[in-house]
């Protein structure tokens, strides 16, 4: 009898093992590794260093490249301190895929043959619009530009191409996408976001994550996919001062309704890692917030992936925010708050020694360490790093391909936004004599912005010889070009430093031209160095515009900038305005195609473009912010007065909206509502139109937003063609978060708008 039981148990065990899901198998591998690891080996896995720590840079070595790994320092980090992760490039240079391969394979060689556990390193970079630090990689437009296309296919394409090329560079982990709410135009990183609307950010973010990671849980093991890293959790992008890494104050219900939603969607779509907000919200440094990292993220949202700190942000709890008396206390706070990996990135010995000591003394539980290491090992296993620690560039013939370049071009062409076109001054014809002027006319650096071949983007010119600046692309369209900068940036200075550069000559040349193409905006920047004191377009560029306008020649203002520098002083004097945002390496070609009518513009603003620095209001503001004055009274300049609104964007054709209909005049909690609208191309050119559906909750227990984007779809229409666009919604799609932090859809009337059409529908609980 005993024997029979034994056999039965054995059969069940065999059956159980053979039926195990890949997920179970993965867990088993993680547990078996974890069991064999010492505390020191575990803490090493939680340690991330920057490449410079293990190399010698800034001298040209026999390889011809200004960097060489230092074998002693490499061994010290990986063998003595068990370091499990490395990030970044070296000395702020872009390298070729071959150089990347050489470095990363040396690192993995040490990790997988000379360490006891033989666990491969996970290498990470910021490949935020293409592989920033890889020479020859396809550079897409920046995220904010992609958002302006209102076409999530471009976010997906950017993810697919970037994942492939990151792997072609031997790197499996990408610190992207940015899912922060781009609600403050003063902020230096708004161009890294998908704009100010949570629904748009979510829709774009999900597609970018899918492009990076693949469509399902096991696609990460594919050698053309990378682990994404959604960042910066949570509430990073809206500091009160507008300056990077300064305090933000965000009520919980706002945090949940606007800031959390995009992260939630990306996590549901499978994002495998996440980076913590480097700043403070509501007085609390996020890296020390157990409430945000553990309770909200890991417990409430059920995030099972790896949580990495931002650069230097654990020690910052001591040195910057003064909430820890020393490094040790900082480490204790952050690890106990739920951070799994510290982007140290320099003094890793301190992080390592302090964390080991904290565990030994019982101040950090070993179970917390195990939780962190499980998450890290899982990502490494999912990525297939144990089988293939480094992917090789020769296996990626599609790196820098024509097909990928075309995708980057399409994204730019679909995003560039025509904001004004008085007297149909655009498109231009090739016979017109044009003056090309302004500091942004002839610069690959300004087309790409920050995170391009270097952190601040200042080295872009060294890598982009083969691409066209605006000027070069225009020269391919017409022989009648005069170029005089008028103003130019001081490229080895701060990003905002500029100077007169043949100013008077530019104005004189305008008098001889038929059209003036004025390219203004900003030089490249990111993070702290990109902080700004005045959102107005610089005085010198404004003066150039004013002088050009005075000539009486039609001025076409082309904006090339990471954030909306205000132009109220010059806008009335120009005939046309086009925002190119940061359109990437193919942005020059895309703009020239739009200017000369090869492409019909179809981008729309993914944020409100303010008229004045003191009138910054999002499109989803409260009714009180409109101030709707009684006739004649209080009719002053500070009424709701954006220069251009979220969703604005013109075409060379015209679209007519009609027949906005709802499938029912009232609906309940369980019903699906269909809203449809007919859109007709009433002009003479084919064109694309992003159809945006907004809802307004007419009365609510907290003052409702005047409107909110609920759905969008981009369609193509031939002249005379009509399409019916259908959107499906449920009550939950119209909900808001109340002051008790609950999502609610309150019974009452909702107004839907699309184009100039409006319809009212009643929600009955
Ligand atoms: C930025 C992150 C970035 C990290 C690594 C930080 O300074 O805030 O967005 O991923 O550096 O380069």
């Amino acid at each position: 009898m005993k024997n029979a039981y034994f056999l039965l148990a054995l059969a069940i065990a065999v059956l159980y093992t053979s039926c195990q899901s890949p997920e179970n198998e993965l867990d088993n591998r993680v547990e078996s590794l974890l069991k064999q690891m010492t505390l020191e080996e575990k803490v090493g896995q939680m340690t991330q260093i920057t490449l410079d720590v293990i190399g010698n840079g800034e001298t040209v070595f026999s390889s011809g490249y200004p960097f060489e790994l230092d074998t002693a320092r490499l061994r010290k980090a990986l063998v003595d301190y068990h370091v499990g992760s490395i990030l970044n490039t070296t000395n702020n240079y872009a390298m070729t895929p071959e150089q990347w391969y050489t470095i990363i394979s040396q690192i993995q060689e040490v990790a997988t043959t000379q360490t006891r556990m033989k666990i491969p390193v996970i290498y990470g970079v910021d490949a935020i619009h293409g592989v920033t630090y890889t020479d020859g990689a396809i550079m897409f437009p920046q995220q904010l530009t992609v958002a302006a296309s209102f076409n999530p296919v471009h976010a997906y394409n950017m993810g697919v191409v970037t994942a492939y090329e990151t792997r072609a560079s031997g790197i499996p982990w990408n610190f992207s996408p940015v899912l922060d709410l781009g609600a403050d135009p003063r902020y230096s990183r708004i161009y890294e976001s998908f704009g100010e609307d949570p629904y748009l950010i979510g829709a774009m973010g999900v597609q970018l994550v899918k492009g990076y990671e693949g469509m399902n849980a096991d696609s990460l093991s594919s050698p053309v996919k990378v682990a994404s890293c959604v960042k910066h959790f949570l509430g990073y992008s809206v500091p009160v001062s507008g300056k990077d890494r300064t305090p933000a104050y965000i009520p919980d219900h706002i945090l949940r309704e606007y800031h959390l939603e995009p992260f939630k969607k990306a996590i549901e779509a499978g994002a495998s890692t996440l980076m913590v907000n480097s700043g403070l919200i509501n007085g609390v440094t996020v890296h020390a917030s157990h409430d945000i990292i553990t309770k909200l993220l890991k417990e409430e949202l059920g995030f099972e992936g790896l949580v990495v700190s931002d650069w230097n942000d654990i020690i910052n709890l001591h040195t910057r925010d003064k909430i820890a008396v020393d490094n040790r206390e900082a480490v204790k706070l952050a690890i106990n708050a739920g951070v799994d990996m510290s982007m140290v990135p320099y003094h890793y010995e301190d992080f390592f020694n302090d964390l080991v000591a904290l565990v030994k003394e019982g101040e950090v539980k070993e179970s917390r360490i195990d939780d962190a290491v499980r998450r890290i090992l899982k990502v490494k296993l999912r990525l297939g790093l144990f089988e293939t620690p480094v992917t090789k560039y020769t296996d990626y013939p599609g790196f820098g391909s024509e097909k990928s370049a075309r995708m980057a071009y399409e994204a730019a062409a679909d995003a560039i936004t025509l904001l004004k076109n008085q007297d149909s001054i655009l498109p231009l014809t090739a016979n017109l004599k044009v003056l090309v002027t302004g500091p942004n006319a002839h610069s690959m650096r300004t087309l790409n912005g920050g995170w391009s071949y270097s952190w601040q983007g200042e080295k872009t010119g060294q890598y982009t010889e083969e691409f066209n600046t605006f000027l070069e692309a225009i020269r391919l369209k017409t022989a009648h070009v005069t170029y005089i900068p008028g103003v130019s940036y001081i490229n080895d200075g701060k990003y905002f430093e500029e100077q007169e550069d043949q100013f008077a000559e530019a104005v004189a040349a305008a008098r001889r031209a038929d059209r003036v193409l004025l390219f203004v905006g900003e030089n490249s920047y990111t993070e702290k160095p990109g902080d700004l004191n005045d959102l107005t377009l610089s005085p010198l560029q404004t003066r150039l515009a004013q002088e050009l306008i005075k000539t009486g020649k039609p001025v076409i203002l082309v904006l090339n900038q990471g954030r909306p520098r205000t132009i109220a002083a010059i806008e009335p004097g120009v005939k046309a305005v086009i925002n190119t945002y940061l359109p990437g390496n193919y942005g020059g070609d895309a703009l020239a195609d739009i200017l000369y009518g090869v492409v019909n513009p179809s981008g729309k603003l993914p944020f409100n473009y303010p008229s004045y620095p003191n009138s910054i209001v999002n499109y989803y503001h409260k009714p009180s912010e409109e101030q709707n004055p009684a006739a004649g009274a209080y009719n002053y300049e500070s009424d709701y007065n954006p220069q251009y609104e979220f969703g604005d964007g013109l075409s060379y054709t015209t679209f007519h909206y009609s027949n906005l209909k709802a499938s029912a005049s009232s609906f309940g909690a369980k019903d699906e509502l269909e809203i449809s609208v007919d859109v007709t191309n009433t002009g003479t050119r084919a064109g694309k139109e992003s159809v945006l559906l907004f809802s307004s909750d007419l009365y609510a227990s907290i003052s409702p937003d005047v409107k909110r984007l609920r759905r969008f779809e981009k369609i193509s229409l031939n002249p005379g063609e009509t399409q019916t666009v259908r959107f499906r919604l449920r009550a939950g799609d119209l909900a808001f978060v109340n002051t008790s932090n609950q999502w609610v859809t309150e019974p009452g009337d909702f107004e839907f708008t699309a184009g100039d059409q409006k319809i009212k529908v009643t929600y009955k609980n």
Side-chain angles (χ1 to χ4, degrees):
M1 197 57 184
K2 239 181 170 179
N3 238 350
Y5 275 128
F6 175 74
L7 284 177
L8 187 67
L10 190 70
I12 292 171
V14 169
L15 199 68
Y16 175 77
T17 333
S18 63
C19 294
Q20 268 198 47
S21 65
E23 204 45 33
N24 272 337
E25 230 174 276
L26 194 86
D27 287 338
N28 289 345
R29 282 183 78 182
V30 169
E31 292 312 317
S32 124
L33 284 166
L34 204 59
K35 253 191 244 145
Q36 301 168 53
M37 292 168 77
T38 63
L39 171 63
E40 286 74 11
E41 284 163 342
K42 290 177 189 173
V43 168
Q45 286 300 312
M46 297 169 68
T47 312
Q48 186 183 54
I49 59 174
T50 188
L51 183 58
D52 284 339
V53 170
I54 50 167
N56 300 309
E58 297 210 279
T59 336
V60 176
F61 293 92
S62 52
S63 58
Y65 198 71
F67 178 78
E68 218 170 58
L69 279 172
D70 179 315
T71 341
R73 282 196 272 143
L74 174 63
R75 271 191 63 87
K76 178 183 162 196
L78 268 55
V79 182
D80 302 346
Y81 284 85
H82 319 285
V83 165
S85 183
I86 304 179
L87 87 151
N88 212 7
T89 184
T90 167
N91 291 299
N92 201 21
Y93 278 99
M95 299 189 260
T96 63
E98 188 179 351
Q99 283 161 338
W100 272 116
Y101 176 76
T102 310
I103 290 173
I104 295 178
S105 49
Q106 283 172 43
I107 291 171
Q108 297 295 34
E109 170 71 17
V110 173
T112 59
T113 64
Q114 297 179 32
T115 66
R116 193 182 71 90
M117 289 301 297
K118 307 193 184 336
I119 299 173
V121 155
I122 181 169
Y123 204 104
V125 283
D126 297 273
I128 71 161
H129 69 123
V131 200
T132 301
Y133 300 119
T134 300
D135 188 4
I138 299 292
M139 299 312 279
F140 273 73
Q142 296 274 359
Q143 268 187 222
L144 186 64
T145 323
V146 174
S149 75
F150 277 86
N151 185 353
V153 165
H154 297 304
Y156 180 74
N157 289 346
M158 173 157 107
V160 169
V161 170
T162 304
Y164 183 94
E165 301 201 338
T166 306
R167 283 298 199 133
S169 313
I171 299 166
W173 188 14
N174 185 4
F175 305 128
S176 171
V178 169
L179 298 183
D180 302 322
L181 191 77
D184 187 335
R186 299 169 303 166
Y187 190 55
S188 63
R189 305 188 75 174
I190 187 177
Y191 72 82
E192 295 176 50
S193 80
F194 282 123
E196 73 178 40
D197 182 75
Y199 178 76
L200 179 61
I201 300 170
M204 290 284 174
V206 162
Q207 290 309 313
L208 189 48
V209 166
K210 287 187 171 166
Y212 288 144
E213 301 216 1
M215 292 306 208
N216 46 51
D218 51 2
S219 33
L220 208 53
S221 64
S222 154
V224 297
K225 292 294 164 200
V226 292
S228 65
C229 183
V230 291
K231 66 188 189 184
H232 308 79
F233 195 81
L234 183 67
Y236 177 49
S237 51
V238 289
V240 174
S241 69
K243 309 253 167 92
D244 189 26
R245 290 170 161 90
T246 60
Y249 295 91
I250 314 170
D252 280 350
H253 67 289
I254 300 289
L255 205 55
R256 282 175 178 272
E257 183 174 332
Y258 300 79
H259 296 259
L260 186 61
E261 274 306 286
F263 283 97
K264 204 168 151 196
K265 286 192 182 140
I267 288 167
E268 281 160 14
S272 36
T273 80
L274 172 145
M275 191 184 293
V276 178
N277 168 6
S278 174
L280 296 84
I281 51 176
N282 304 331
V284 176
T285 306
V286 182
H287 278 77
S289 173
H290 186 263
D291 281 350
I292 292 180
I293 304 173
T294 296
K295 280 204 188 142
L296 178 60
L297 174 67
K298 292 186 172 176
E299 292 172 8
E300 192 182 317
L301 298 191
F303 181 65
E304 289 179 354
L306 183 178
V307 176
V308 65
S309 83
D310 201 344
W311 184 270
N312 210 47
D313 274 324
I314 295 190
I315 182 72
N316 275 346
L317 300 179
H318 165 58
T319 53
R320 186 192 71 189
D321 288 343
K322 317 285 182 199
I323 60 167
V325 292
D326 53 19
N327 182 62
R328 184 189 146 105
E329 194 183 1
V331 172
K332 178 179 157 184
L333 282 172
I335 301 303
N336 283 341
V339 173
D340 300 319
M341 183 186 279
S342 171
M343 188 183 285
V344 181
Y346 292 103
H347 304 294
Y348 65 92
E349 301 90 334
D350 296 346
F351 171 76
F352 177 92
N353 290 330
D354 282 338
L355 186 50
V356 169
L358 284 162
V359 178
K360 286 191 174 150
E361 286 155 31
E363 294 193 60
V364 172
K365 291 200 181 111
E366 189 143 2
S367 56
R368 175 72 271 274
I369 302 293
D370 287 347
D371 170 52
V373 178
R374 268 190 197 101
R375 290 166 184 265
I376 295 164
L377 292 176
K378 241 186 183 174
V379 175
K380 291 188 174 186
L381 283 162
R382 281 219 171 100
L383 282 164
L385 294 181
F386 285 77
E387 292 72 30
T388 314
V390 57
T391 42
K392 192 168 183 187
Y393 61 100
T394 45
D395 295 330
Y396 295 81
F399 176 83
S401 74
E402 270 302 308
K403 188 175 157 212
S404 305
R406 185 77 205 163
M407 286 180 185
Y409 163 85
E410 298 282 356
D414 231 19
I416 291 173
T417 308
L418 178 64
L419 292 166
K420 177 176 183 180
N421 192 14
Q422 213 175 329
D423 308 327
S424 297
I425 191 92
L426 293 175
L428 302 172
T429 49
N431 60 319
L432 292 166
K433 284 186 279 170
V434 295
L435 169 69
V436 172
T437 183
N440 293 59
H442 190 33
S443 159
M444 289 310 299
R445 174 175 172 183
T446 65
L447 282 177
N448 281 288
W451 301 106
S452 307
Y453 309 97
S454 45
W455 179 43
Q456 297 295 315
E458 78 284 1
K459 296 200 176 79
T460 298
Q462 298 172 28
Y463 296 88
T464 47
E465 195 45 47
E466 73 262 43
F467 303 105
N468 293 320
T469 62
F470 291 125
L471 170 69
E472 289 163 341
I474 290 165
R475 283 204 165 122
L476 298 175
K477 299 287 178 200
T478 171
H480 308 294
V481 180
T482 305
Y483 167 61
I484 303 175
V487 171
S488 61
Y489 297 115
I490 298 174
N491 273 319
D492 52 4
K494 298 212 166 96
Y495 82 92
F496 48 82
E497 288 175 359
E498 53 193 34
Q499 62 199 354
E500 287 192 14
D501 188 351
Q502 298 177 276
F503 192 100
E505 290 87 329
V507 178
R511 296 199 177 89
R512 297 188 296 271
D514 298 320
R515 300 285 184 270
V516 176
L517 291 171
L518 172 59
F519 292 85
V520 298
E522 301 182 310
N523 210 352
S524 71
Y525 55 79
T526 183
E527 298 190 51
K528 269 305 296 165
D531 280 352
L532 177 70
N533 288 320
D534 184 355
L535 191 59
T536 320
L537 184 68
S538 79
L540 195 51
Q541 295 189 44
T542 303
R543 188 152 62 79
L544 178 64
Q546 284 165 336
E547 293 303 316
L548 292 166
I549 291 166
K550 274 192 213 153
T551 64
K553 290 300 169 84
V555 176
I556 291 147
L557 186 70
V558 182
L559 305 165
N560 171 213
Q561 53 193 5
R563 61 197 144 196
R565 302 296 292 264
T566 61
I567 50 168
I570 54 173
E571 204 266 358
V574 300
K575 285 278 181 191
V577 180
I578 306 182
N579 195 359
T580 66
Y581 315 87
L582 300 174
N585 273 343
Y586 306 90
D589 303 317
L591 191 262
D593 281 346
I594 287 173
L595 288 177
Y596 285 88
V598 179
V599 168
N600 191 351
S602 65
K604 291 193 170 187
L605 276 182
F607 53 81
N608 260 8
Y609 197 119
S611 297
Y612 309 104
N614 287 6
S615 296
I616 292 173
V617 184
N618 297 120
Y619 90 83
Y620 43 72
H621 55 276
K622 301 296 177 192
S624 62
E625 289 171 283
E626 301 248 314
Q627 299 184 7
N628 289 325
Y634 306 122
N635 201 3
Y636 55 94
E637 271 300 317
S638 64
D639 289 341
Y640 176 65
N641 57 13
Q643 188 79 57
Y644 308 108
E645 269 201 283
F646 178 92
D648 278 358
L650 302 167
S651 164
Y652 295 151
T653 187
T654 44
F655 297 103
H656 178 73
Y657 284 67
S658 61
N659 223 4
L660 181 67
K661 279 196 299 216
S663 53
S665 59
S666 70
F667 69 114
K670 296 201 180 92
D671 300 332
E672 188 178 72
L673 192 65
E674 186 186 277
I675 310 274
S676 62
V677 66
D678 293 345
V679 185
T680 306
N681 181 346
T682 47
T684 53
R685 279 171 178 261
K688 291 184 201 167
E689 169 75 345
S690 292
V691 182
L692 312 186
L693 180 73
F694 293 96
S695 75
S696 308
D697 190 348
L698 297 187
Y699 294 91
S701 57
I702 59 174
S703 183
D705 286 341
V706 293
K707 62 177 183 174
R708 288 291 291 274
L709 181 71
R710 299 306 183 190
R711 294 285 184 272
F712 62 89
E713 192 180 330
K714 192 159 192 169
I715 56 171
S716 298
L717 291 174
N718 285 320
E721 190 185 347
T722 299
Q723 251 187 63
T724 304
V725 181
R726 296 171 201 283
F727 299 111
R728 291 194 173 76
L729 299 116
R730 289 182 179 278
D733 295 315
L734 307 175
F736 66 94
V737 178
N738 64 19
T739 46
S740 318
N741 295 326
Q742 300 300 317
W743 279 99
V744 285
T745 311
E746 294 176 345
D749 286 348
F750 287 84
E751 189 171 74
F752 289 95
T753 51
D756 57 357
Q757 302 279 294
K758 279 186 181 21
I759 189 175
K760 218 184 264 179
V761 179
T762 307
Y763 172 61
K764 294 180 178 158
N765 204 349

